[in-house]
Amino acid sequence: MSKNTIYIFTLWLCVIFISGCKIWSHQTPALPPIDKPTYLELKAENEDQFQIILINDLPVERYVILDSTIDSLQTALDPLNPFIVSPNDSISFPIFAAVDSADYEEVVQSINGTGYIGNPITARPDTQYRYELPVSKDRSFRILQGQEGSFSHDRLYNKYAVDFAMSVGDTVYAARNGIVGYLYEGSSYGGNSEVYMSYSNSIMILHEDGTVAQYSHLKKDGVLVEIGDQISVGQPIALSGNTGYVSGDHLHFNVFQPTKTQPVSIFISFKGYENQQFEKGDKVSH
């Protein structure tokens, strides 16, 4: 094997596992593989010393948590995690001392990583901010599941999410200003089983305080913005749908704070509904 061989890995983006809403399960047909872009690469090089390179292809900051099945390498990575990568930039770091006794290919194959949008070091949620409802102003919308909903909003990454009953094709509006940090709109699959979890179409928008809004279950090819776009509150950004882990048509809206271990859902207030805990069946409007 050449000393300069480079191996390239794909890192899973958080959108894959935080975009589903659990409803109930039943048998489902086999689904085609889905290949969501991560815009993040991990390269390992073994030249004068073993080094890892992280490449961020998005116009927003990312943080990456690296893991290895090799104990000595994991020990070396632990104090370095998470790795912060600037927009459209890369970082590299040597870990030669931790792996000099291991086979190079074994080391490369041992490394896994998870990338998230934002920066857990600088994020400072503005708890006084009041969000616009991400729905049309011409009618009211029913809440399918509120914050801390017992049905599925019971995990750190979706605890304070709100599910709005919206028909396929309804317009979704930005709840706050920000920059589009990630989107996916290529899925046409949805259903009430966990096998659909990664098939949700989503947009993630990074806000000025470092928090990130997630709009999920969007219609196939229903995104109306581009990665890197500066978004204004009230701007149409997508069409609602029923992709991913769903029992019916709705919009899953969540705001989370980047932390050193994973995104964590935070409680937010909407204009006109300050500090309100929504319950299933509630109706909301502008």
Side-chain angles (χ1 to χ4, degrees), residues 54-210:
L54 292 171
I55 303 171
N56 175 19
D57 290 329
L58 286 178
V60 294
E61 280 189 297
R62 312 284 292 281
Y63 65 106
V64 182
I65 299 172
L66 295 180
D67 299 293
S68 173
T69 55
I70 298 175
D71 291 342
S72 61
L73 181 51
Q74 185 63 58
T75 299
L77 291 172
D78 283 340
L80 301 176
N81 279 320
F83 297 87
I84 311 299
V85 192
S86 297
N88 298 122
D89 202 358
S90 65
I91 60 172
S92 62
F93 48 93
I95 54 172
F96 182 78
V99 298
D100 57 358
S101 62
D103 176 78
Y104 174 59
E105 186 172 0
E106 176 189 358
V107 169
V108 170
Q109 297 299 329
S110 79
I111 300 173
N112 294 295
T114 308
Y116 305 100
I117 292 173
N119 185 332
I121 309 302
T122 60
R124 297 289 185 273
D126 179 1
T127 58
Q128 301 305 308
Y129 188 84
R130 298 296 179 256
Y131 287 75
E132 291 282 356
L133 291 167
V135 297
S136 170
K137 293 183 178 181
D138 59 0
R139 58 192 176 95
S140 63
F141 291 81
R142 184 167 55 90
I143 301 297
L144 287 185
Q145 185 175 194
Q147 306 95 327
E148 298 184 281
S150 60
F151 207 57
S152 67
H153 294 174
D154 55 0
R155 302 180 185 181
L156 282 177
Y157 61 80
N158 69 356
K159 184 176 181 180
Y160 297 110
V162 178
D163 292 344
F164 297 90
M166 299 178 70
S167 300
V168 173
D170 282 351
T171 303
V172 177
Y173 298 85
R176 185 175 181 179
N177 297 345
I179 181 173
V180 179
Y182 180 85
L183 64 84
Y184 181 76
E185 60 176 343
S187 172
S188 58
Y189 295 92
N192 57 357
S193 167
E194 289 185 356
V195 300
Y196 292 100
M197 183 73 77
S198 63
Y199 288 81
S200 178
N201 297 318
S202 300
I203 297 176
M204 290 191 178
I205 296 179
L206 178 65
H207 306 139
E208 62 180 357
D209 63 354

Side-chain angles (χ1 to χ4, degrees), residues 7-13 16 35-43 54 64 66 111-115:
Y7 291 83
I8 300 176
F9 303 81
T10 299
L11 301 174
W12 291 105
L13 186 71
I16 292 175
D35 184 21
K36 289 188 174 181
T38 65
Y39 306 100
L40 187 64
E41 291 180 324
L42 184 155
K43 295 183 179 181
L54 292 171
V64 182
L66 295 180
I111 300 173
N112 294 295
T114 308

